[in-house]
Amino acid sequence: MEEIKLIVTDMDGTFLNSSHEMSPEFSEVYKELKKRNILFVPASGRQMPGITHYFGEIESEMGFIAENGGYVIYKDQELFTDVLQYQYIVEIVQAVREIPGAKAVLSAKKMAYYETDDQQFIDFFSKYYTKNMKKEDLTEKIDDTAFKIAVYHSEGSEKHLYSPLKRFEELGLEVVVSGEYWLDVMNKNINKGNALKILQTSLGISPENTMAFGDYMNDIEMLKNAKYSYAMKNAHPNVKQVANFETSTNDSFGVLKTIKDYLHLN
């Protein structure tokens, strides 16, 4: 195995267990990564605060890919910020309102905005979008930088959301199933893979020196940009086809197990 200089991992369904917890061993493993000058980068469809709050005081030493690649930070410095145009926000929100059971979240730099009164959903999505605010109408302009619209359906995103929303691909937007219940609509070429390239280029790190972990379709481009790409055992079949390796499930902290194997900590 070539020397690893960068480890990038999806969060939900990958690095975190089903209770959205990190492995209790992470802080010890992180110390070893730091000692060996290996950068650890979480990459998620979540908003930035929904990722960074897991890492506390080490946050300023790390890189982060948020919003499925729409927002990239390295050591507290912004490397890339995407902007979804207002006209698209209006059209997407109106389309989501036509889908029975669908709920839209407008994810932006300062806040995630929602218009539903469904308290059960608000409690659920607040786990991922920790800074959020209710708006009476999501089609009204906001004083914020919007990255994407995340759409939720309790009976499954592939089945209920992809078909009615994929027409936005014809407008030059990216429509990606990002989880069992979530679908994201954002600008074309916004994905975790291109975000990873931005990070690799700015740090002079090649895909040959990169290890990546993922479980869902929004991880595919990222896995393609790492020689040591791992699908979780619980990953979507399409992700397993793309990854070069497989590790155990998120609930058995497969990411940490693989990193420990590489570092000879087991």
Side-chain angles (χ1 to χ4, degrees):
M1 194 182 236
E2 290 175 58
E3 187 190 0
I4 300 298
K5 295 179 181 174
L6 169 61
I7 296 173
V8 58
T9 178
D10 171 52
M11 293 285 283
D12 300 288
T14 302
F15 181 63
L16 303 176
N17 67 11
S18 296
S19 303
H20 309 290
E21 299 161 334
M22 287 199 307
S23 165
E25 295 183 279
F26 176 72
S27 57
E28 284 308 306
V29 173
Y30 180 78
K31 282 176 195 165
E32 192 61 34
L33 291 174
K34 191 178 173 184
K35 209 185 288 179
R36 300 196 198 188
N37 209 21
I38 299 169
L39 179 66
F40 184 81
V41 178
S44 177
R46 292 177 181 229
Q47 66 177 165
M48 194 64 78
I51 313 171
T52 56
H53 78 89
Y54 279 95
F55 299 96
E57 59 194 35
I58 60 170
E59 179 191 325
S60 58
E61 305 170 355
M62 297 167 60
F64 292 94
I65 295 170
E67 308 287 356
N68 268 331
Y71 194 18
V72 184
I73 281 179
Y74 172 64
K75 292 188 174 178
D76 292 335
Q77 300 296 309
E78 285 185 16
L79 295 186
F80 176 73
T81 307
D82 188 47
V83 183
L84 183 61
Q85 287 178 33
Y86 174 64
Q87 70 186 70
Y88 292 141
I89 293 169
V90 173
E91 288 180 46
I92 299 160
V93 169
Q94 287 172 343
V96 172
R97 288 172 179 166
E98 299 295 311
I99 305 166
K103 294 175 177 66
V105 176
L106 175 59
S107 195
K109 193 183 279 190
K110 294 180 204 164
M111 288 275 170
Y113 303 90
Y114 63 95
E115 61 182 10
T116 181
D117 291 317
D118 183 341
Q119 195 55 50
Q120 198 175 349
F121 171 70
I122 295 163
D123 293 343
F124 170 73
F125 102 91
S126 298
K127 292 177 195 168
Y128 307 95
Y129 296 91
T130 50
K131 288 191 174 177
N132 58 68
M133 189 175 131
K134 185 173 192 301
K135 277 176 63 71
E136 289 308 310
D137 182 356
L138 274 188
T139 64
E140 284 178 7
K141 268 194 170 161
I142 51 166
D143 181 24
D144 204 344
T145 304
F147 299 114
K148 68 171 191 193
I149 292 181
V151 191
Y152 173 84
H153 200 292
S154 63
E155 291 170 29
S157 50
E158 257 184 288
K159 187 178 175 187
H160 294 278
L161 299 175
Y162 185 67
S163 187
L165 293 174
K166 69 178 179 184
R167 64 185 171 89
F168 285 101
E169 291 172 343
E170 292 160 24
L171 297 180
L173 297 177
E174 202 83 54
V175 181
V176 63
V177 174
S178 55
E180 192 177 349
Y181 306 106
W182 291 96
L183 174 142
D184 291 341
V185 188
M186 52 216 161
N187 285 330
K188 195 77 178 161
N189 298 322
I190 297 301
N191 58 61
K192 294 182 188 180
N194 283 335
L196 176 56
K197 272 187 201 165
I198 290 165
L199 208 48
Q200 287 167 327
T201 303
S202 65
L203 299 174
I205 296 173
S206 73
E208 285 69 35
N209 303 113
T210 303
M211 183 182 276
F213 299 88
D215 76 311
Y216 235 84
M217 268 85 95
N218 59 330
D219 298 318
I220 285 174
E221 293 90 351
M222 177 177 82
L223 294 172
K224 286 178 177 175
N225 278 321
K227 181 176 179 181
Y228 301 99
S229 56
Y230 289 82
M232 309 308 289
K233 194 171 185 180
N234 52 283
H236 191 285
N238 294 5
V239 178
K240 291 183 179 182
Q241 281 180 354
V242 168
N244 292 327
F245 305 95
E246 190 173 311
T247 187
S248 51
T249 67
N250 65 313
D251 281 325
S252 57
F253 296 117
V255 172
L256 258 277
K257 278 185 182 173
T258 304
I259 295 172
K260 281 170 69 183
D261 282 343
Y262 172 71
L263 296 173
H264 302 294
L265 295 178
N266 283 326

